[in-house]
C-alpha cells in the first residue's frame, strides 16, 4: 500500500524563479488537497480537487500560484516569480469520497527555500 | 473566521504518565475532528478522528469530544519518549478542508 508521494522533497530557488511541485495521491482517493505550513504554525489550506475539478481555492493562493490535476490523478502546484515569503513546507493530502469521514492522509511534503 | 485553538506548550510529562492535549473550536457546525502527530521536519500523521460526543479509544490514545462545550481532547496513556512531537488538532469544514490549530508540543521525559 503506497501512501501519498511528493516530489521534490526539497527545493532551493532564487527569488523570481518559477517552481513546480508534484503530488501523487493514494490511488483510490478522489480528493486531493494542497496545504502550506510555516514554522510554528499548523498547515493552511491552499486548494482542493475532486477528481480533475478544482473546487476551492484559498485567498492565500495569489495569482502567482496555480494548481492542476489533469485526468484526476497526480497534481502539480506551480509558483511563479517566487518571493522569500513563499518559503514553507508544501503539503499534499488525499482522501476518499465514499465510506469515510474525509480522513486526509499527508505526503512527506516539499520544503521550499527561496533565497 | 473559523478557528481552532491549542496551547502551544511545551507540555512536559514523565515517561509512563498520561498526557492530556486540548483543543477548542469556534464553528458549532463542525462535524468531524482529527488529531495529527507531527515530528520535527516531518509531515502530519493521522492518529485519530472522532465525530460523536464522548470517548473513542485506540490503543494508548483516547479522543474525547464535547460538542456543547466545543472542545476536543487527546489523552495519551503510558507516554513514551517516542511520543514527543507536536500534536495538531483539526476540524473539517463544510467544504471538506481541514482547519488546523497551531499545535501543542509534547515532551516526554525519560
Amino acid at each position: 500500500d503506497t501512501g501519498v508521494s511528493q516530489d521534490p522533497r526539497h527545493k532551493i530557488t532564487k527569488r523570481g524563479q518559477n517552481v513546480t511541485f508534484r503530488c501523487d495521491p493514494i490511488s483510490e482517493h478522489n480528493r486531493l488537497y494542497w496545504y502550506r505550513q510555516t514554522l510554528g504554525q499548523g498547515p493552511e489550506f491552499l486548494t482542493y480537487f475532486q477528481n480533475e475539478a478544482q473546487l476551492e481555492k484559498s485567498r492565500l493562493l495569489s495569482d502567482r500560484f496555480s494548481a492542476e490535476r489533469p485526468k484526476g490523478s497526480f497534481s502539480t502546484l506551480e509558483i511563479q516569480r517566487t518571493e522569500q515569503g513563499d518559503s514553507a513546507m508544501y503539503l499534499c493530502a488525499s482522501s476518499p469520497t465514499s465510506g469515510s469521514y474525509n480522513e486526509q492522509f499527508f505526503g512527506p511534503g516539499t520544503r521550499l527555500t527561496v533565497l | 473566521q473559523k478557528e481552532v485553538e491549542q496551547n502551544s506548550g511545551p507540555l512536559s510529562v514523565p515517561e509512563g504518565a498520561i498526557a492530556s492535549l486540548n483543543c477548542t473550536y469556534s464553528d458549532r457546525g463542525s462535524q468531524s475532528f482529527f488529531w495529527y502527530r507531527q515530528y520535527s521536519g516531518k509531515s502530519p500523521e493521522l492518529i485519530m478522528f472522532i465525530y460523536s460526543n464522548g470517548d473513542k479509544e485506540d490503543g494508548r490514545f483516547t479522543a474525547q469530544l464535547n460538542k456543547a462545550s466545543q472542545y476536543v481532547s487527546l489523552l495519551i496513556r503510558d507516554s513514551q519518549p517516542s511520543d514527543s512531537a507536536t500534536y495538531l488538532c483539526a476540524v473539517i469544514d463544510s467544504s471538506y478542508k481541514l482547519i488546523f490549530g497551531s499545535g501543542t508540543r509534547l515532551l516526554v521525559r525519560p
Side-chain angles (χ1 to χ4, degrees):
Chain A
D1 177 32
T2 56
V4 179
S5 61
Q6 292 187 246
D7 185 70
R9 298 289 301 276
H10 303 274
K11 180 70 177 179
I12 299 174
T13 191
K14 293 182 179 179
R15 190 177 55 187
Q17 298 295 303
N18 299 344
V19 295
T20 300
F21 309 141
R22 175 177 171 130
C23 170
D24 287 87
I26 293 170
S27 59
E28 64 269 25
H29 286 184
N30 305 88
R31 292 192 182 128
L32 185 150
Y33 308 79
W34 286 98
Y35 293 85
R36 179 172 68 186
Q37 186 177 25
T38 54
L39 199 61
Q41 300 298 315
E44 294 177 296
F45 170 79
L46 293 178
T47 189
Y48 125 74
F49 294 84
Q50 180 156 320
N51 300 313
E52 66 275 11
Q54 187 174 20
L55 297 186
E56 186 170 341
K57 294 196 300 185
S58 165
R59 62 180 183 276
L60 293 175
L61 219 62
S62 75
D63 292 346
R64 298 183 297 105
F65 288 71
S66 63
E68 295 182 340
R69 192 183 182 195
K71 303 178 183 177
S73 55
F74 70 92
S75 175
T76 58
L77 178 68
E78 181 183 16
I79 309 174
Q80 296 181 327
R81 305 181 303 282
T82 52
E83 302 173 356
Q84 288 182 326
D86 297 331
S87 295
M89 173 81 89
Y90 289 82
L91 294 161
C92 177
S94 70
S95 71
T97 50
S98 60
S100 80
Y101 292 90
N102 203 57
E103 308 97 285
Q104 295 182 25
F105 299 91
F106 284 84
T110 295
R111 182 168 296 283
L112 173 66
T113 302
V114 181
L115 302 176
Chain B
Q1 177 72 22
K2 298 172 185 175
E3 291 185 347
V4 177
E5 300 286 341
Q6 295 182 258
N7 188 317
S8 62
L11 172 66
S12 181
V13 300
E15 184 174 355
I18 295 175
S20 178
L21 303 158
N22 300 312
C23 169
T24 60
Y25 59 95
S26 62
D27 183 5
R28 283 196 170 276
S30 297
Q31 296 295 316
S32 300
F33 307 85
F34 301 83
W35 283 100
Y36 286 84
R37 176 175 62 198
Q38 188 171 30
Y39 293 111
S40 180
K42 303 296 185 183
S43 64
E45 174 192 6
L46 180 64
I47 297 175
M48 292 191 71
F49 70 91
I50 187 167
Y51 53 90
S52 297
N53 275 328
D55 295 0
K56 179 181 178 182
E57 189 174 316
D58 184 0
R60 295 187 296 114
F61 299 98
T62 299
Q64 299 176 318
L65 173 60
N66 184 322
K67 289 186 177 180
S69 301
Q70 294 177 246
Y71 83 79
V72 194
S73 62
L74 180 70
L75 302 178
I76 306 175
R77 290 182 298 282
D78 187 24
S79 295
Q80 301 297 310
S82 58
D83 294 327
S84 298
T86 296
Y87 289 80
L88 296 162
C89 173
V91 304
I92 278 279
D93 79 353
S94 56
S95 58
Y96 306 113
K97 62 181 180 283
L98 289 170
I99 310 296
F100 282 89
S102 57
T104 298
R105 194 158 67 96
L106 173 66
L107 291 172
V108 181
R109 308 187 305 272

